[in-house]
């Protein structure tokens, strides 16, 4: 959550070398990374999505909704669907949450420039925050180590 970006090509190479499964959690990358916000798989050019066994993420961050998703080959997804406690002991998404997530996806696909605008605003925020206080952090999450609560208050005024 602090802005680190995994070396997906390197992870895929390790997966192939050791013949193991690779699961990627897109909770903090979908909506932010890649030219149109499609996540870590599109952040690195030339990645074959089939090289990752399971993609998962949340709809509660970039998509302003609730719930999550799992994507992978049909047999693995079906296995999880019928055996994972999160699927067995929960209810489906409400129609308003499904509509919010769908609309967010549609907007991101139709207007990829909003992802670049997010990056520019994040960069500006970080630059301004660093110039006004001794704050360390990354564009997506800004962990703050401050000596007094007066510092952020004064920075906003």
């Amino acid at each position: 959550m602090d802005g680190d970006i995994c070396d997906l090509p390197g992870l895929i190479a390790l997966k192939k070398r050791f013949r193991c499964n690779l699961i990627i959690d897109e909770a903090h990358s979908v909506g932010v990374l890649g030219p149109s916000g499609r996540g870590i798989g599109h952040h690195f050019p030339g990645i074959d999505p089939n090289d990752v066994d399971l993609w998962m993420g949340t709809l509660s961050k970039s998509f302003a909704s609730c719930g999550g998703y799992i994507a992978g080959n049909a047999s693995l997804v079906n296995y999880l669907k019928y055996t994972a406690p999160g699927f067995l002991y929960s209810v489906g998404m409400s129609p308003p949450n499904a509509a919010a997530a769908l609309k967010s996806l549609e907007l991101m696909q139709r207007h990829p420039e909003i992802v670049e605008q997010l990056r520019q605003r994040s960069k500006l925020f970080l630059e301004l925050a660093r110039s006004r206080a001794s704050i360390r952090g990354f564009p997506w999450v800004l962990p703050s180590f401050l000596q007094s609560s007066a510092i952020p208050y004064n920075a906003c005024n």
Side-chain angles (χ1 to χ4, degrees), residues 34 60 101 104:
S60 64
S104 294

Side-chain angles (χ1 to χ4, degrees), residues 126-137 142-148 150-152 155:
L126 186 58
E127 289 170 1
L128 291 172
R130 282 184 173 156
S131 72
R132 295 184 180 176
S134 50
I135 294 177
R136 297 177 296 174
L142 187 65
S144 301
F145 306 99
L146 306 173
Q147 298 157 357
S148 165
I151 293 172

Side-chain angles (χ1 to χ4, degrees), residues 88-106:
L88 294 176
Y89 303 110
S90 67
V91 298
M93 287 178 69
S94 69
N97 282 331
L102 182 59
K103 189 52 134 180
S104 294
L105 273 170
E106 288 172 1

